[in-house]
Amino acid sequence: MNDIGVFSNPCALCKKREATKLCDYIVRYDNSIIFFRNSKLFQEVNSPGYKHETCDLPMCDNCAKKVGHQVDFCSHHYKLHIQVELPKELQRYQRKAKAEMYENAIRGEKNE
Ligand SMILES: [Zn+2]
Ligand SMILES: [Zn+2]
């Protein structure tokens, strides 16, 4: 086992390896999401790290839970991330609402 002092930036979870990543889980949303008709601008301004505060817990490759392209969560937030998914019986309402929002967004763009 390595001495923690070996690393200037040890992993907060195992404390055995050097931290190479930061947890990307958003812990605080800066106001509400800003909506743009332009989806490219929307994604840029509302992307994690642009305006929201992320967890930023330092962790090593082994401890980080990869959840998407360049998105890693610490073990604590990974558990929450799994719970974020709605139960099956609620998911169809969610899908319906999302489909309507998407259609409205497209209609809005066409009317420009
Ligand atoms: Zn670790
Ligand atoms: Zn975290």
Side-chain angles (χ1 to χ4, degrees):
M1 193 184 288
N2 291 311
D3 191 314
I4 296 169
V6 169
F7 306 117
S8 56
N9 184 27
C11 169
L13 299 168
C14 67
K15 300 173 181 71
K16 289 177 194 164
R17 286 173 287 264
E18 188 158 17
T20 54
K21 296 166 186 287
L22 298 176
C23 174
D24 296 307
Y25 193 88
I26 294 170
V27 291
R28 196 176 62 90
Y29 284 88
D30 186 356
N31 285 324
S32 53
I33 283 186
I34 300 166
F35 284 96
F36 290 92
R37 291 263 165 90
N38 178 326
S39 64
K40 193 174 171 283
L41 198 63
F42 174 88
Q43 274 168 17
E44 192 181 312
V45 171
N46 294 297
S47 65
Y50 187 90
K51 62 197 274 278
H52 304 314
E53 188 185 338
T54 49
C55 165
D56 292 339
L57 190 75
M59 43 190 193
C60 69
D61 274 356
N62 264 46
C63 295
K65 304 276 187 195
K66 193 171 171 60
V67 293
H69 180 63
Q70 291 183 349
V71 180
D72 299 281
F73 290 166
C74 67
S75 50
H76 174 79
H77 285 124
Y78 183 70
K79 274 184 219 149
L80 289 179
H81 173 68
I82 288 169
Q83 289 173 14
V84 160
E85 187 149 301
L86 282 171
K88 282 271 182 294
E89 73 264 26
L90 294 178
Q91 279 184 18
R92 60 195 183 102
Y93 295 98
Q94 184 185 40
R95 273 199 298 271
K96 189 170 172 283
K98 282 183 192 297
E100 276 167 15
M101 274 195 294
Y102 184 69
E103 271 175 30
N104 287 340
I106 288 174
R107 224 170 283 142
E109 259 174 24
K110 280 180 182 162
N111 292 340
E112 282 293 294

